[in-house]
Each structure stands twice: as C-alpha cells, then as structure tokens.
Amino acid sequence: MAGLSINSITKRFGETEVLRDVTLDIADAEFVSLVGPSGCGKSTLLRIIAGLEDPTGGEIAIDGEAVTGMRAADRNLSMVFQSYALYPHLTVAENIAVPLRMRSLSAGQRLPVIGPFLPGSKDKRAEITAAVKDAAEMLEIGALLDRKPGQLSGGQRQRVALGRALVRSPAAFLLDEPLSNLDAKLRVQTRAEIAQLHRRLNATFIYVTHDQVEAMTMSDRIAVMMDGEILQCDSPSIIYEDPNDIRVAEFIGSPKINILPVELHERTLSLFDKPVGRTAIGAKAGVYQLGLRPEAIHLAKSDPLLTGTVAHVENLGAEVFAQVELAGQTARVTCRAAPAARDQLRLGAEIGLSFDLADALIFDADGKRQRGVEVTLDQPVEAA
Amino acid sequence: MAVIDSTAIPRKPTQVNRQARTAWGLATPALALMFLILLVPVVVAAVLSFTNYSLGNSGFDWVGFKNYGRLFTRSTYEKMFIATFSYVVVVVPVSVALGLGAALLVNSLGRFGDVYKTIYFLPVMATLLAMAIVWEFMLHPTIGVINQTLEMACGTVLEVIPFVAKGCADGFPLWLGDKDYAIWVLCFIGIWQGFGFNMVLYLAGLTAVHRELYHAAEMDGAKSAWEWFRLVTWPALGPTTVFVVTISCIRAFQVFDTVEAFWPQGGGPNKSTYVMMFAIFEKGVQQNLIGIGSAITMLFLVFVMFLTLIQRWLVERKVHY
Ligand SMILES: Nc1ncnc2c1ncn2[C@@H]1O[C@H](COP(=O)(O)OP(=O)(O)OP(=O)(O)O)[C@@H](O)[C@H]1O
Ligand SMILES: [Mg+2]
C-alpha cells in the first residue's frame, strides 16, 4: 500500500508528444480514475507508472521513493492490460497463478516435475491454489479454470486478466479499462466488486476508463486527460459541478453540456444579441461561452430566454431529454424535463426555454473557466 | 466440427448432389496429379522392393522379403544405419538449438540484425557441392587451413590439451580420411549449412509473439531473460519448433551431396559416412540393384512418414492454443 507521485512526466514517440508535463499526486489508498478521449495518453501514462515505458522527462515516486529507472518487476505494482495479455498456453487457473508463482516460489520450486517435492513448496502451492480459487470465484470464472484463453469470450478473458491482477496485494493496482468488454449486468457487479476490494484492501488504485458512470461512482478523484495533459483532477462532484475548463465540462456529463456564445459589453451580458443579465464591475468586455447542463435548462412558463422547435426527444423513462433547435440559430440545446412534460415536447413543437444564470458556467473564448464573472438577473434590461 | 455439421441447414438432395459433383469435378485434376506423381511411384517402389529387378532386364523374380532381410543382417547396412542415425541425432538438436539461439540474438539486435541474418543464411543459399570443395581444401591433412592453424598451437601452452599434444607428436587428424572423424566432420558441415535455415524459420515465429506478453510477464515478476523465455517466448514458438524439428529431421535423413562430393566411392573411410540417401544412390543407380535400392527407399519413407505423423499429432494435440 503506497501513495504515488507523478512529477512533470513528458513522453515523446519520435516527434509526437504524447504526454506533456503530467503532474499528479495520489494518496495512499486513493482511487483515482483517468478519463479522456481515445488516444489522449491514458495507457501511456499507466505504462510509464508501471515502468514498462521510459518517460522522456519527469519522475515517478512510489511511497516517497523515486522509482525512475527501477524496472517494472521491482516496483510491486499489478496491472490489467487493455489487450488482456493472457498467456495463451496456460489455463485460466495457471494464468491467474503466474504472479503468485513468480513472486512466492523460488526458481527451483517452480520446476515442472521436481518442483512440487522441494521443501516448502507444497504449502506455498496450496496457498496459491486457494488464492486463485478465491479470485476466480469473485469474478465468476470458477467454472472456466481449466480452459485456455483461446476458448474464452472477450468478457471472460477480461475477467481472467482482472483476476491475474487482483490475486496479489501490490503497492498499487493499475487497471486499463478493465470492464470495457463486459455486459451491463456484469459490469455493474464487477464495479461493485472492485469498489469493495478497494475498501477491503485499502489499496491505491489507478483506473483508466471511458465510462463516465464508472469514473463518477467509483473514484475518490477523477483526472480528466486531453491531448496528453491532465486538465483537472478533483472529486467527481467538483469535476461535474465546477470544472476548470470547457473541455472538462464537455467531456463529463451525458448528455453533453450546452455551450452558448455570449457577449459582455458595458456590464451587460447578451445572448444572441438579447440582454440576459448584468455582471459586477470589473469583468472584461468581450466574447464568452456560457455552459449550461441539460438539467439547468427548463421549460419556460413565460418570458422565455430561448425559443425554438423540438428536433429530437429521448425518453429514458424517469426523465426526458429534448433537443431544441433554436429559432434563427443553427445551434441546438439539450434540456432535461420531467416525464410529465412529454406532451409539450412533441417533435416540431414550438417551445420556450429558460434557465437560471446562477447555474451557468462561464468560460472565456479559450475555454478557461471565468470564476470572477458573477452574473445577476436582478434587473432585466429591456432591449434597446 | 461435429457440432457444426449437425446444425447445418438441411438442403434439398438434388442441390447437395450437384454441389458434391462440382466438388469432385474441381478436385479431380489435383487428385489425378497426386496419384500420378506421388502415389504411383511410391507403389512402384514398394512393389520393386520385393523383386530383384535391374534396369534393362526384361523380367524379374519375386524375392519376397529377401531385400529387407539383407538390410537388417548385412554389416554394410548396419553401418548405414549407424551413420544415418548418428548424423540425425547430432545435427537435428544442434542445428535447431543454434537456429533458435541465433534467431533470439538477431531478433534482439535491431538494425545490425539484418547483416547477421544475411551472413547466417549464406550457407543455406550456397550450393553445398561448391561449398564441399572449399571444405575439402580447408580440411586437407597437410595444406589445409585447419591443420595448419592447429599446428601453430604446437610449442605453446595449448599443448596441455591432449588433442593438441597428440596432434603435434603424431600429426593432426586426416579428417575426411579418418574413420573416427569423417562422420563428425559431416555432421559439422550439416549443422553449419542448416542452422541458418532454422534461424529464419524461428525469426518468422518470433514475429508472432505478442509483445504485450513480455510486459505482462514483467509485471508478474519475471525478471531474468530465462524466465521471460520460459513464460512467453518458448510456448509461443511451440508450433515453429515442431515444424523446425520435423524439417531438420527430414533434411538430415536426406543428407547426400556432401557425402557424394567428399567420398564419391563407397561412403567414406570404412563406410563410416555411408548414409541412407547415398546407399540408395549407390545401390539403385550406380550398381543398378533396383530391388535393394527400393527397399532402402521404402524404409526411408517409413521414417519420414513416422516423423510427419508425430508432427501432426503434436501440432494438433499440444502446441496449438
Ligand atoms: N509505441 C508508440 N509509438 C508511437 N506512438 C504511440 C506509441 N504508443 C502510443 N502512441 C501514441 O500515443 C498516443 C496515446 O496513446 P495511448 O495508448 O496512451 O492512448 P489512450 O489514451 O490509452 O487511448 P485509448 O482510450 O484508445 O486506449 C496515441 O496517439 C498513440 O498513437
Ligand atoms: Mg488505452
């Protein structure tokens, strides 16, 4: 069990810069998710932490001890590979047993015929068999122990890979999209198992995923990566409610956050040339972007801030998402409504939308969050 | 397989018939050729091995198993078996092991690897007959490079080695002319000539090893090159190894040109290099004893068939995942 500190790691493959000055401190027993679009360098970062890839610059420390230059086998980490990387000639049970055999049996005790008869070998072998059985049971692959990886489905292989990583108690677990191939039910279940394991072992986890739900539900903190940088690393609620960057706001949340262009001129904030609020003195005039989560937009009873026609409706049962094509604009906004509002949200219906500016996130033209810009709706300004 | 067959969509009988006819029609040329150029000669040889036929004779007598009986009683053929099996037993393991070692080294080299690849493959491409002449020069007892080099060791500390001491006193071996050395020289040249081929096969096999598996092995705590080899490389090379061993065995059983080049008369000093292929050539072609030549050929085919069956069994049962 150990904390990890990643200090301005950079990585280039020839000319392409894959990681740019990545810094991240992970506390002991913390569960950190790495999320980001495909190709942003999540796997590369994980492999650098593991020691399988050398960083171009920067340092890694495990438990306060610098490990740059230490080989992967000595770092005492365990990893689930995105490609599973199971040994094709070994059965499921043997695959899961490999990390235990390599680390707890001596070279002599591992020998095929005479190994089991060497002193001490029998007890250790029994321990390994028991540990393998436990791991397999937890992942529901107990019935597959005698099969070879070639005879398994993708999801089953993934669970074997997970079993091989979880059978040991290393300094930290590195999991690269370990649930991506499981069906919905198994995914929820395995998610719970991993979360439970995290609590029970009190181990450090770094968890790469594409699935926001996984990231939001399991993590202590989420690190959002994009183009080789960590844009923000904070608790799930802060990442969702208080993002630092428009890319974070856009990446987290489903459906995606609505971004509307606004203009600030002489303390008046106008949306599509229509004044919607006033700011305190001090904010620079110019073009800003307004981020509105779908749940921040509601159907207006009167005085709508936006009007448009319903272009698409997604009914999820407990809630309804409607895409509204704004009048005179090409942009669409998504709003969430209660199922009771379904009648209003017929395709092509004209509706008015409204929102509370206090719920809006304001970003500058480059996408940086503007926390200084306080907007109030207190004095509705008439159009000039 | 059976599962797939039983669940196949049932078709109308006429359609099945038509398909079957087309299939047979398409397979006929290949089948005819196979019969004509593969099976018929084998059958002819099998039949001839029970006769005393000679080329040019109008008739022949059936001699039953007499030819085979001779193979297992005459001392010439005992020498043939000893020479052949010595050669196979030495050349196959050594050339496979060297091929594997060279492939692993070349594979780890990167850019310079191509240079070594070419160098090691040169003997495979070169005609063995031409190379045999070069070897004959080098191995010449008095003017050959090898003995001259060995003589330079005389008078130095190297004389503590019994072989050198004996050579300096009584002269170094005649190599090709010495019945104790001839077969080992033959083996050496066989290995020198063959391991490059095995190396190329292994290099092809190595490209199929999933690189991520080495990373997994590293994470699992495999630290030494040997552990990586045991856990990842060797199992992945299983199919290649079966193929390489089979091919090497068959090639070793077929050794002929070196023997013919070094000892055109009679298969080496005291018949110590009288290998099977040379025996077939000598009996069947030079001495026109088709019967006995065919009998040796049949025996040769049995060995090769046996090896092939073992290979098939291994490939199907053991090394495919
Ligand atoms: N060995 C390599 N040589 C060159 N470029 C590489 C290499 N490995 C990765 N890359 C590049 O580095 C970038 C990051 O790759 P990485 O595998 O870390 O992405 P990722 O975030 O894990 O994506 P995904 O979510 O699809 O798994 C990619 O653009 C990829 O093309
Ligand atoms: Mg990846």
Side-chain angles (χ1 to χ4, degrees), chain A residues 11-204:
Chain A
K11 176 71 184 175
R12 312 168 160 276
F13 288 112
E15 283 300 290
T16 42
E17 198 166 36
V18 174
L19 293 176
R20 282 184 255 180
D21 200 25
V22 172
T23 299
L24 183 63
D25 276 306
I26 298 168
D28 188 10
E30 197 175 16
F31 195 118
V32 172
S33 290
L34 282 179
V35 299
S38 189
C40 70
K42 305 180 297 288
S43 297
T44 308
L45 180 60
L46 215 59
R47 298 159 66 81
I48 288 175
I49 297 171
L52 298 172
E53 202 101 56
D54 285 325
T56 313
E59 279 123 45
I60 306 272
I62 299 177
D63 219 5
E65 186 195 347
V67 293
T68 322
M70 185 192 282
R71 63 179 301 178
D74 293 328
R75 294 190 185 187
N76 190 25
L77 303 170
S78 83
M79 180 159 175
V80 173
F81 289 83
Q82 198 171 1
S83 62
Y84 317 147
L86 299 175
Y87 306 109
H89 63 291
L90 298 180
T91 63
V92 167
E94 287 165 336
N95 260 290
I96 299 177
V98 166
L100 296 176
R101 285 170 59 89
M102 294 312 276
R103 286 174 198 266
S104 70
L105 294 182
S106 69
Q109 287 170 333
R110 283 201 301 271
L111 286 177
V113 180
I114 52 169
F117 300 106
L118 291 183
S121 180
K122 207 171 152 212
D123 293 345
K124 282 192 202 160
R125 277 166 187 264
E127 271 170 39
I128 291 174
T129 314
V132 168
K133 224 171 138 215
D134 283 349
E137 222 90 292
M138 182 182 89
L139 295 162
E140 293 190 11
I141 45 175
L144 308 175
L145 285 177
D146 293 325
R147 295 219 207 149
K148 299 263 172 83
Q151 302 162 319
L152 301 178
S153 75
Q156 290 169 333
R157 278 180 222 180
Q158 195 158 38
R159 277 179 284 159
V160 177
L162 201 52
R164 187 175 61 178
L166 299 182
V167 75
R168 232 159 52 79
S169 1
F173 291 97
L174 312 174
L175 312 181
D176 198 346
E177 304 191 19
L179 309 184
S180 59
N181 255 326
L182 305 188
D183 64 43
K185 172 176 161 276
L186 207 54
R187 189 183 294 210
V188 172
Q189 195 177 325
T190 315
R191 201 161 77 198
E193 295 281 5
I194 293 179
Q196 226 171 51
L197 194 80
H198 171 233
R199 281 193 298 273
R200 196 176 75 219
L201 296 180
N202 240 336
T204 314

Side-chain angles (χ1 to χ4, degrees), chain B residues 116-157:
Chain B
Y116 281 99
K117 232 185 278 183
T118 314
I119 292 175
Y120 289 147
F121 201 62
L122 270 179
V124 185
M125 295 188 291
T127 328
L128 197 51
L129 220 51
M131 286 294 117
I133 297 170
V134 178
W135 278 108
E136 207 164 2
F137 271 126
M138 296 210 292
L139 290 163
H140 192 279
T142 48
I143 60 167
V145 167
I146 290 169
N147 275 3
Q148 285 189 346
T149 312
L150 285 172
E151 271 159 28
M152 290 198 316
C154 290
T156 67
V157 283

